[in-house]
Amino acid sequence: MHPIIHHRSDRHGRAATMTTAKPVLYSLASAALVFLLSAGNARAAAAQPAVQPLPALGAELSELTVSGISSGAYMAVQFQVAHSKLVRGAGVLAGGPYDCAEGSIRRALTACMSPSWWAAVPSVAELRAQAEALAKAGRIDPLEGLRDDRVWLFSGGKDSVVDTVVMERLAAFYGQWIAPTAIRFVRLPDAGHAMISVADPQANACSSEQSPFINRCGEFDAAGEILQHLLGPLQPPAATAKGEPLRFDQSPFVEGKPIDAGLADEAYVYVPQACLSSVCRVHVAFHGCRQAAAQIDRRFVDGAGYNRWADSNRIIVLYPQVQPRYGLASGSWQWLNNPFGCWDWWGYTGSDYATQGGVQIKAVRAMLERLAAPRQH
């Protein structure tokens, strides 16, 4: 789930050097592998139900919550802070402080993932000043909107990708507005960089850092822990998820082509049967790098663990999707490199990526508005 970030200039105009979180060699062989994987994904998609429009369900957004793992964790934080008036809580697994990268590739890969003496994680004062400047400019909601939020934070003791100190700085950032009793920081010594779930029967070992980045650590249920902390007491999860995730078209929610926003043409939403006829809450689950449907099909959607809780607690779960991209894409002349399918937390889609003007944040906000629209009879 290590993000690969390629050459561009950051928001301050500084030139950034092509680099990777782990060294990657591009060759004809790797290109051929990408082609074969794409062909396999196309065959898998052909076997799925037909894509449909995202339904209007009259959903209740007053208790909207979000969560994510890795790049999805960074996106969950970005979405929460950008829309702090709307979001009531966030679950963050192996992410970091809001806009930690400041549009800089080097900063993302060093200070915001593996800080050191020469690339320290930004101070709370720096992070707060930066966020307050964006709020003052009207690019994000006023930060006072965080005061009634709850957050659930997670760091694995064997996570080699995002250091625990980065998560500790996120906790301190939140602590500027959120009461200590509303912040829960969980540390699991044996866990690697992954979603920790009891719902995937083929989950990896607890310390694994391999695809699909869904691990089993005994009976630890991250999705359940997140939802219960953010929403309060819940009914026990269903023994098995009873519904079928709906595959929907993401393109109506994006200005231009989804691929030029780093997004897939299609995404998923899990709608419990009860939510087809009654008002339900919404939770947005952001997958991590290498966890998009184009890479692991529905493993994250089905196996992250949210759906069983959704069934018994009337929660709609939105699973927006990123699309891996290697420079140019078919039908597009825009150059955008995101080969691991990460959410944008360093600026590959533009300098607005962490604000309400960010193309990915705008798209997810529009999806939520659609879910909240009155049902069409």
Side-chain angles (χ1 to χ4, degrees), residues 67-124:
S67 65
I69 166 69
S70 190
S71 71
Y74 265 107
M75 178 52 74
V77 173
Q78 289 176 178
F79 194 89
Q80 176 196 23
V81 175
H83 288 292
S84 63
K85 290 181 180 179
L86 176 67
V87 180
R88 294 278 73 86
V92 185
L93 294 92
Y98 174 74
D99 199 16
C100 180
E102 287 191 71
S104 166
I105 294 168
R106 286 194 182 94
R107 190 176 175 97
L109 288 173
T110 55
C112 302
M113 292 174 64
S114 300
S116 61
W117 65 269
W118 57 270
V121 63
S123 70
V124 173

Side-chain angles (χ1 to χ4, degrees), residues 122-189:
S123 70
V124 173
E126 289 176 289
L127 293 165
R128 177 166 184 156
Q130 184 175 305
E132 287 178 337
L134 290 172
K136 185 176 181 180
R139 298 173 67 190
I140 63 175
D141 281 345
L143 295 168
E144 292 300 307
L146 293 171
R147 290 200 179 278
D148 60 354
D149 285 12
R150 299 178 66 82
V151 293
W152 186 94
L153 312 177
F154 178 90
S155 181
K158 294 187 178 178
D159 188 329
S160 68
V161 181
V162 177
D163 196 291
T164 297
V165 71
V166 178
M167 287 293 295
E168 290 172 343
R169 191 55 48 88
L170 172 61
F173 172 81
Y174 277 134
Q176 301 294 291
W177 299 275
I178 302 175
T181 54
I183 301 173
R184 179 171 298 170
F185 195 152
V186 179
R187 306 166 197 251
L188 208 59

